[in-house]
Amino acid sequence: MTTVQDTYLGWDLLRHFKGCTRPQWTVDVRREDDAFRARHEGPKHECPNDACHHGDRYERTTVRIVCTSCQMAHVIRSEEGLHSSSTKNATHGYGQPPRKTAGLLLWPGEPLLGWGRLSTDEPWDFLITRPGVTRVTEADVVGVVNQVRGKRGAVRWSAVAVRSEAGPYGLSPLRFAHAEERMASVPAAAKWAAALLAGGAQ
């Protein structure tokens, strides 16, 4: 399951060496079909589960990320089971600029259970923050807009707003005190959230 939260929350920036003057990453990927798994003086690697191919040989993917300025290098290795894909940012919201609507910023991201969403004019869900945010964190989020379907299958929008740890709406860790369903558009959902936030709703 994917959610718009997965697009922005829980990701960490790779660090540079202190004093890096021109931070810029180069990224390379290497795949090996027959890497050797060290035994460390132990027995042969094997798994009793027929569906698991754990053994002395395995597929390995290595991602090497190097700053061309400070020379900081991050190396990430994965065994068999790594799933990778290539896509345009527009498909899932990655890297898309936020929309300025009703005095708020709407950040597009992967929709909940996104099957078939690319057939609509608005394939994304949105996290809502106040203006001035450049990188979304959990503390910045003041609302969420999700695409839903009306009784006859038409595209409609639901929204939640006003953070509340004990709120009845939203997905953890983002819980909210207020919700509204079946609005006609993303701007309408943003205006609803903005009115609540401006009014100091609790």
Side-chain angles (χ1 to χ4, degrees), residues 31-158:
R31 294 181 175 87
E32 301 168 81
D33 294 329
D34 192 30
F36 177 73
R37 190 192 313 278
R39 295 185 181 180
H40 303 290
E41 300 182 359
K44 176 182 178 181
H45 291 278
E46 55 186 351
C47 181
N49 188 328
D50 292 337
C52 178
H53 303 291
H54 181 85
D56 283 343
R57 317 296 298 196
Y58 68 102
E59 296 177 8
R60 177 168 61 198
T61 300
T62 304
V63 181
R64 184 179 62 198
I65 307 167
V66 181
C67 177
T68 56
S69 176
C70 69
Q71 298 300 299
M72 170 65 81
H74 298 272
V75 179
I76 303 169
R77 294 184 176 90
S78 173
E79 296 187 11
E80 180 183 11
L82 173 71
H83 298 283
S84 62
S85 61
S86 299
T87 182
K88 289 185 177 181
N89 288 349
T91 303
H92 296 288
Y94 305 149
Q96 294 288 305
R99 298 183 185 181
K100 297 179 181 179
T101 307
L104 300 170
L105 296 181
L106 274 61
W107 300 80
E110 290 197 76
L112 177 66
L113 303 178
W115 304 306
R117 291 286 294 274
L118 293 182
S119 63
T120 71
D121 293 334
E122 290 278 12
W124 311 291
D125 288 346
F126 298 85
L127 291 186
I128 304 174
T129 71
R130 296 186 186 277
V133 173
T134 57
R135 180 179 173 85
V136 180
T137 68
E138 182 180 326
D140 297 319
V141 180
V142 296
V144 181
V145 177
N146 298 106
Q147 185 181 132
V148 294
R149 298 288 175 171
K151 293 181 179 180
R152 297 184 179 181
V155 173
R156 291 291 182 266
W157 299 89
S158 68

Side-chain angles (χ1 to χ4, degrees), residues 101-104 106 128 145 183 185-198:
T101 307
L104 300 170
L106 274 61
I128 304 174
V145 177
M183 288 177 279
S185 66
V186 173
K191 290 177 182 177
W192 171 84
L196 281 175
L197 295 166

